[in-house]
Amino acid sequence: MYKSLWKELHVAVCSINFFSDNGIKLTALTGFKVANYIITDESVYKILKCDEVAVQFMQEDGFTPKLTLKMPFCEFLERINRLAEFEDEGYALIELDQIDTSDIPGMDIELQKDYCIGQQIIMIGYHADQDNLSLKNGIISSFFKSKNDKSTIQFDAVIKHGNSGSPLINAESGKVIGVIGHRLATISKSYEDFKKIIDENLRLLKKSEGMMNILEIDPIQVLIANQNQMKQVSKDSYRSASMLFGYANEITTLGNYIEAINQSLDMVEVDKVNV
């Protein structure tokens, strides 16, 4: 079963890589194609400083590129549709208009909630520190409502940073039932809280920088360096951490957004014709 699911579905899953102006990878997410859109995690809304974005689909071996799309970050931002962000759905839609992705088939969405606790699932995605696509399996272990009152799936499978945006797939139907969420993970919240504490410490320390000198050493600068080291260590630990379970935002609403977007585009085309 897993072999046939991989063979059929892997091609629709992509890595979304964000690079600085000197070619350093800043971060990466997983995404997947549905219709003429790439679906990924909502954390893409928070990426502000970047120079270039590279989207890459793989061949069946999971590491040989099949299609690579590169674009300036400003163009990528223009392609983000904001409907799902406004409704706080937990996922984002990236439009692929005027980009030839005809060799990449899209995934199907399970628009009816035809799954339950104990259901076998698979997820296909990337780890942030690896360029190869991988498949994992597990079961749905629970359902609950998130803080924004959205339906959430808890599943039993090992996930890591970079899996955000991966499709959660019903292993029986082969259809997507959820998008792996970034902010839903407890470890993500702990990391964000710790980062806020360090940033506040740095803010307070910088106010006192240069006001004290002991044996030609400014102890405040030593403390600032220490805090920055702690920040880097926490970031590295977070990126390499694994969790034995994960969460996904249910995606039954996605069909409504795509239909609404397509209808608005049709109206624009009609207006152009009338003009």
Side-chain angles (χ1 to χ4, degrees), residues 12 32-39 94 96 105-109 176 251 254 258:
F32 57 98
K33 185 183 176 187
V34 174
N36 201 36
Y37 303 89
I38 290 175
I39 314 302
I94 315 299
L96 292 173
M107 287 185 165
D108 293 325
I109 303 298
V176 180
I251 201 169
L254 179 60
I258 291 179

Side-chain angles (χ1 to χ4, degrees), residues 9-78:
L9 302 174
H10 76 278
V11 68
V13 182
C14 63
S15 60
I16 308 174
N17 304 285
F18 300 85
F19 295 94
S20 66
D21 55 1
N22 55 4
I24 296 174
K25 185 191 289 189
L26 302 173
T27 189
L29 296 170
T30 299
F32 57 98
K33 185 183 176 187
V34 174
N36 201 36
Y37 303 89
I38 290 175
I39 314 302
T40 189
D41 178 52
E42 65 175 358
S43 58
V44 74
Y45 299 134
K46 299 179 180 179
I47 300 174
L48 303 176
K49 296 181 179 180
C50 176
D51 186 69
E52 184 180 60
V53 180
V55 178
Q56 195 163 65
F57 297 86
M58 296 296 180
Q59 296 185 27
E60 192 172 342
D61 59 14
F63 62 85
T64 302
K66 179 179 179 68
L67 176 66
T68 301
L69 308 172
K70 293 184 178 181
M71 65 187 76
F73 184 57
C74 57
E75 179 185 340
F76 181 81
L77 288 177
E78 291 174 355

